mmCIF file of all heavy atoms in Angstrom:
data_model
loop_
_atom_site.group_PDB
_atom_site.id
_atom_site.type_symbol
_atom_site.label_atom_id
_atom_site.label_comp_id
_atom_site.label_asym_id
_atom_site.label_seq_id
_atom_site.Cartn_x
_atom_site.Cartn_y
_atom_site.Cartn_z
ATOM 1 N N THR G 667 -16.287 85.224 -98.752
ATOM 2 C CA THR G 667 -17.668 85.493 -98.327
ATOM 3 C C THR G 667 -17.669 86.177 -96.966
ATOM 4 O O THR G 667 -18.375 87.149 -96.719
ATOM 5 C CB THR G 667 -18.461 84.170 -98.215
ATOM 6 O OG1 THR G 667 -18.184 83.404 -99.357
ATOM 7 C CG2 THR G 667 -19.935 84.418 -98.072
ATOM 8 N N GLU G 668 -16.810 85.609 -96.112
ATOM 9 C CA GLU G 668 -16.736 86.158 -94.754
ATOM 10 C C GLU G 668 -16.276 87.624 -94.781
ATOM 11 O O GLU G 668 -16.847 88.496 -94.138
ATOM 12 C CB GLU G 668 -15.731 85.342 -93.955
ATOM 13 C CG GLU G 668 -16.071 85.217 -92.489
ATOM 14 C CD GLU G 668 -15.114 84.248 -91.845
ATOM 15 O OE1 GLU G 668 -14.070 84.727 -91.387
ATOM 16 O OE2 GLU G 668 -15.391 83.033 -91.840
ATOM 17 N N THR G 669 -15.244 87.870 -95.617
ATOM 18 C CA THR G 669 -14.727 89.237 -95.711
ATOM 19 C C THR G 669 -15.817 90.184 -96.204
ATOM 20 O O THR G 669 -16.006 91.269 -95.680
ATOM 21 C CB THR G 669 -13.539 89.293 -96.704
ATOM 22 O OG1 THR G 669 -12.712 88.199 -96.418
ATOM 23 C CG2 THR G 669 -12.773 90.600 -96.574
ATOM 24 N N LEU G 670 -16.566 89.719 -97.239
ATOM 25 C CA LEU G 670 -17.614 90.580 -97.790
ATOM 26 C C LEU G 670 -18.685 90.893 -96.756
ATOM 27 O O LEU G 670 -19.125 92.021 -96.621
ATOM 28 C CB LEU G 670 -18.250 89.908 -99.020
ATOM 29 C CG LEU G 670 -17.375 89.933 -100.272
ATOM 30 C CD1 LEU G 670 -18.047 89.145 -101.391
ATOM 31 C CD2 LEU G 670 -17.107 91.364 -100.732
ATOM 32 N N SER G 671 -19.095 89.847 -96.008
ATOM 33 C CA SER G 671 -20.169 90.123 -95.053
ATOM 34 C C SER G 671 -19.656 91.002 -93.911
ATOM 35 O O SER G 671 -20.386 91.821 -93.383
ATOM 36 C CB SER G 671 -20.809 88.838 -94.535
ATOM 37 O OG SER G 671 -19.904 88.178 -93.718
ATOM 38 N N LYS G 672 -18.364 90.882 -93.606
ATOM 39 C CA LYS G 672 -17.798 91.774 -92.572
ATOM 40 C C LYS G 672 -17.817 93.207 -93.083
ATOM 41 O O LYS G 672 -18.144 94.146 -92.365
ATOM 42 C CB LYS G 672 -16.356 91.375 -92.247
ATOM 43 C CG LYS G 672 -16.278 90.472 -91.036
ATOM 44 C CD LYS G 672 -14.863 90.333 -90.559
ATOM 45 C CE LYS G 672 -14.769 89.163 -89.607
ATOM 46 N NZ LYS G 672 -13.486 88.482 -89.689
ATOM 47 N N GLU G 673 -17.448 93.360 -94.389
ATOM 48 C CA GLU G 673 -17.450 94.705 -94.969
ATOM 49 C C GLU G 673 -18.848 95.310 -94.934
ATOM 50 O O GLU G 673 -19.043 96.458 -94.608
ATOM 51 C CB GLU G 673 -16.971 94.646 -96.423
ATOM 52 C CG GLU G 673 -15.506 94.978 -96.550
ATOM 53 C CD GLU G 673 -15.025 94.773 -97.963
ATOM 54 O OE1 GLU G 673 -15.839 94.890 -98.880
ATOM 55 O OE2 GLU G 673 -13.834 94.470 -98.123
ATOM 56 N N HIS G 674 -19.842 94.450 -95.258
ATOM 57 C CA HIS G 674 -21.226 94.901 -95.245
ATOM 58 C C HIS G 674 -21.605 95.386 -93.838
ATOM 59 O O HIS G 674 -22.154 96.468 -93.654
ATOM 60 C CB HIS G 674 -22.135 93.749 -95.683
ATOM 61 C CG HIS G 674 -23.584 94.081 -95.611
ATOM 62 N ND1 HIS G 674 -24.146 95.027 -96.421
ATOM 63 C CD2 HIS G 674 -24.574 93.609 -94.815
ATOM 64 C CE1 HIS G 674 -25.424 95.123 -96.136
ATOM 65 N NE2 HIS G 674 -25.724 94.283 -95.154
ATOM 66 N N ALA G 675 -21.202 94.575 -92.852
ATOM 67 C CA ALA G 675 -21.512 94.936 -91.458
ATOM 68 C C ALA G 675 -20.862 96.271 -91.111
ATOM 69 O O ALA G 675 -21.470 97.134 -90.493
ATOM 70 C CB ALA G 675 -21.032 93.847 -90.517
ATOM 71 N N MET G 676 -19.602 96.476 -91.559
ATOM 72 C CA MET G 676 -18.898 97.712 -91.235
ATOM 73 C C MET G 676 -19.597 98.918 -91.871
ATOM 74 O O MET G 676 -19.670 99.989 -91.290
ATOM 75 C CB MET G 676 -17.442 97.673 -91.736
ATOM 76 C CG MET G 676 -16.537 96.799 -90.921
ATOM 77 S SD MET G 676 -16.655 97.139 -89.154
ATOM 78 C CE MET G 676 -15.907 98.756 -89.114
ATOM 79 N N ASN G 677 -20.117 98.701 -93.110
ATOM 80 C CA ASN G 677 -20.806 99.815 -93.771
ATOM 81 C C ASN G 677 -22.015 100.257 -92.983
ATOM 82 O O ASN G 677 -22.342 101.435 -92.936
ATOM 83 C CB ASN G 677 -21.228 99.417 -95.194
ATOM 84 C CG ASN G 677 -20.016 99.388 -96.091
ATOM 85 O OD1 ASN G 677 -18.994 99.987 -95.769
ATOM 86 N ND2 ASN G 677 -20.118 98.674 -97.191
ATOM 87 N N ILE G 678 -22.701 99.290 -92.395
ATOM 88 C CA ILE G 678 -23.879 99.649 -91.603
ATOM 89 C C ILE G 678 -23.434 100.319 -90.311
ATOM 90 O O ILE G 678 -24.033 101.265 -89.836
ATOM 91 C CB ILE G 678 -24.720 98.389 -91.319
ATOM 92 C CG1 ILE G 678 -25.316 97.899 -92.642
ATOM 93 C CG2 ILE G 678 -25.819 98.688 -90.318
ATOM 94 C CD1 ILE G 678 -25.982 96.572 -92.548
ATOM 95 N N MET G 679 -22.317 99.814 -89.765
ATOM 96 C CA MET G 679 -21.824 100.372 -88.496
ATOM 97 C C MET G 679 -21.369 101.811 -88.688
ATOM 98 O O MET G 679 -21.539 102.649 -87.823
ATOM 99 C CB MET G 679 -20.611 99.585 -88.003
ATOM 100 C CG MET G 679 -20.916 98.151 -87.712
ATOM 101 S SD MET G 679 -21.412 97.941 -86.029
ATOM 102 C CE MET G 679 -21.169 96.194 -85.846
ATOM 103 N N ASN G 680 -20.721 102.081 -89.835
ATOM 104 C CA ASN G 680 -20.153 103.415 -90.022
ATOM 105 C C ASN G 680 -21.148 104.325 -90.714
ATOM 106 O O ASN G 680 -21.954 103.893 -91.509
ATOM 107 C CB ASN G 680 -18.861 103.316 -90.830
ATOM 108 C CG ASN G 680 -17.777 102.690 -89.986
ATOM 109 O OD1 ASN G 680 -17.672 102.996 -88.810
ATOM 110 N ND2 ASN G 680 -17.015 101.794 -90.566
ATOM 111 N N VAL G 681 -21.019 105.596 -90.386
ATOM 112 C CA VAL G 681 -22.010 106.544 -90.866
ATOM 113 C C VAL G 681 -21.441 107.326 -92.047
ATOM 114 O O VAL G 681 -20.280 107.734 -92.024
ATOM 115 C CB VAL G 681 -22.386 107.492 -89.704
ATOM 116 C CG1 VAL G 681 -23.405 108.519 -90.154
ATOM 117 C CG2 VAL G 681 -22.928 106.684 -88.535
ATOM 118 N N ASN G 690 -26.641 105.988 -91.895
ATOM 119 C CA ASN G 690 -26.161 104.657 -92.275
ATOM 120 C C ASN G 690 -27.282 103.887 -92.991
ATOM 121 O O ASN G 690 -27.418 102.689 -92.846
ATOM 122 C CB ASN G 690 -25.617 103.881 -91.064
ATOM 123 C CG ASN G 690 -26.707 103.498 -90.084
ATOM 124 O OD1 ASN G 690 -27.819 104.025 -90.138
ATOM 125 N ND2 ASN G 690 -26.414 102.575 -89.180
ATOM 126 N N SER G 734 -21.088 105.988 -85.339
ATOM 127 C CA SER G 734 -21.162 104.578 -85.705
ATOM 128 C C SER G 734 -22.277 103.971 -84.864
ATOM 129 O O SER G 734 -22.718 104.583 -83.890
ATOM 130 C CB SER G 734 -19.824 103.912 -85.368
ATOM 131 O OG SER G 734 -19.986 102.542 -85.133
ATOM 132 N N VAL G 735 -22.740 102.777 -85.250
ATOM 133 C CA VAL G 735 -23.723 102.140 -84.376
ATOM 134 C C VAL G 735 -23.133 100.884 -83.743
ATOM 135 O O VAL G 735 -23.852 100.024 -83.262
ATOM 136 C CB VAL G 735 -25.043 101.807 -85.125
ATOM 137 C CG1 VAL G 735 -25.790 103.092 -85.458
ATOM 138 C CG2 VAL G 735 -24.785 100.985 -86.376
ATOM 139 N N ASP G 736 -21.807 100.823 -83.732
ATOM 140 C CA ASP G 736 -21.133 99.701 -83.091
ATOM 141 C C ASP G 736 -21.191 99.914 -81.576
ATOM 142 O O ASP G 736 -20.659 100.903 -81.081
ATOM 143 C CB ASP G 736 -19.675 99.671 -83.566
ATOM 144 C CG ASP G 736 -18.920 98.482 -83.009
ATOM 145 O OD1 ASP G 736 -19.430 97.848 -82.057
ATOM 146 O OD2 ASP G 736 -17.831 98.186 -83.519
ATOM 147 N N PRO G 737 -21.854 98.993 -80.840
ATOM 148 C CA PRO G 737 -21.997 99.227 -79.395
ATOM 149 C C PRO G 737 -20.655 99.400 -78.675
ATOM 150 O O PRO G 737 -20.592 100.001 -77.616
ATOM 151 C CB PRO G 737 -22.723 97.970 -78.887
ATOM 152 C CG PRO G 737 -23.004 97.121 -80.065
ATOM 153 C CD PRO G 737 -22.444 97.767 -81.308
ATOM 154 N N ARG G 738 -19.552 98.891 -79.287
ATOM 155 C CA ARG G 738 -18.254 98.993 -78.598
ATOM 156 C C ARG G 738 -17.646 100.383 -78.706
ATOM 157 O O ARG G 738 -16.713 100.721 -78.009
ATOM 158 C CB ARG G 738 -17.273 97.963 -79.171
ATOM 159 C CG ARG G 738 -17.603 96.533 -78.760
ATOM 160 C CD ARG G 738 -16.912 95.554 -79.663
ATOM 161 N NE ARG G 738 -17.285 95.785 -81.062
ATOM 162 C CZ ARG G 738 -16.797 95.107 -82.086
ATOM 163 N NH1 ARG G 738 -15.893 94.188 -81.898
ATOM 164 N NH2 ARG G 738 -17.213 95.355 -83.311
ATOM 165 N N LEU G 757 -29.563 103.706 -87.770
ATOM 166 C CA LEU G 757 -30.332 102.515 -87.386
ATOM 167 C C LEU G 757 -29.364 101.444 -86.912
ATOM 168 O O LEU G 757 -28.272 101.300 -87.481
ATOM 169 C CB LEU G 757 -31.113 101.978 -88.600
ATOM 170 C CG LEU G 757 -32.508 102.551 -88.855
ATOM 171 C CD1 LEU G 757 -32.466 104.044 -89.138
ATOM 172 C CD2 LEU G 757 -33.171 101.828 -90.016
ATOM 173 N N ALA G 758 -29.759 100.695 -85.889
ATOM 174 C CA ALA G 758 -28.944 99.562 -85.452
ATOM 175 C C ALA G 758 -28.863 98.575 -86.622
ATOM 176 O O ALA G 758 -29.762 98.525 -87.462
ATOM 177 C CB ALA G 758 -29.575 98.905 -84.236
ATOM 178 N N PRO G 759 -27.751 97.789 -86.706
ATOM 179 C CA PRO G 759 -27.606 96.852 -87.819
ATOM 180 C C PRO G 759 -28.798 95.896 -87.923
ATOM 181 O O PRO G 759 -29.375 95.524 -86.903
ATOM 182 C CB PRO G 759 -26.340 96.068 -87.466
ATOM 183 C CG PRO G 759 -25.632 96.889 -86.456
ATOM 184 C CD PRO G 759 -26.649 97.729 -85.758
ATOM 185 N N GLN G 760 -29.120 95.532 -89.155
ATOM 186 C CA GLN G 760 -30.242 94.611 -89.365
ATOM 187 C C GLN G 760 -29.855 93.217 -88.870
ATOM 188 O O GLN G 760 -28.767 92.737 -89.178
ATOM 189 C CB GLN G 760 -30.558 94.557 -90.858
ATOM 190 C CG GLN G 760 -31.828 93.832 -91.170
ATOM 191 C CD GLN G 760 -32.237 94.018 -92.631
ATOM 192 O OE1 GLN G 760 -31.745 94.904 -93.318
ATOM 193 N NE2 GLN G 760 -33.136 93.165 -93.078
ATOM 194 N N GLU G 762 -30.000 89.409 -89.064
ATOM 195 C CA GLU G 762 -30.317 88.482 -90.151
ATOM 196 C C GLU G 762 -31.487 87.581 -89.755
ATOM 197 O O GLU G 762 -31.553 87.112 -88.614
ATOM 198 C CB GLU G 762 -29.082 87.629 -90.428
ATOM 199 C CG GLU G 762 -28.747 87.560 -91.897
ATOM 200 C CD GLU G 762 -27.459 86.813 -92.121
ATOM 201 O OE1 GLU G 762 -26.398 87.353 -91.699
ATOM 202 O OE2 GLU G 762 -27.526 85.716 -92.672
ATOM 203 N N ARG G 910 -35.132 98.799 -85.505
ATOM 204 C CA ARG G 910 -33.696 99.133 -85.584
ATOM 205 C C ARG G 910 -33.444 100.581 -85.140
ATOM 206 O O ARG G 910 -32.450 100.876 -84.481
ATOM 207 C CB ARG G 910 -33.207 98.924 -87.016
ATOM 208 C CG ARG G 910 -33.187 97.449 -87.404
ATOM 209 C CD ARG G 910 -32.898 97.281 -88.886
ATOM 210 N NE ARG G 910 -31.659 97.920 -89.264
ATOM 211 C CZ ARG G 910 -31.366 98.316 -90.512
ATOM 212 N NH1 ARG G 910 -32.241 98.145 -91.485
ATOM 213 N NH2 ARG G 910 -30.208 98.868 -90.764
#
Side-chain angles (χ1 to χ4, degrees):
T667 315
E668 213 173 89
T669 315
L670 286 175
S671 70
K672 264 192 195 147
E673 263 174 27
H674 176 66
M676 286 310 291
N677 286 340
I678 292 171
M679 298 270 198
N680 289 320
V681 179
N690 68 345
S734 154
V735 290
D736 183 346
R738 288 162 303 178
L757 272 62
Q760 190 170 344
E762 228 175 293
R910 291 172 56 203

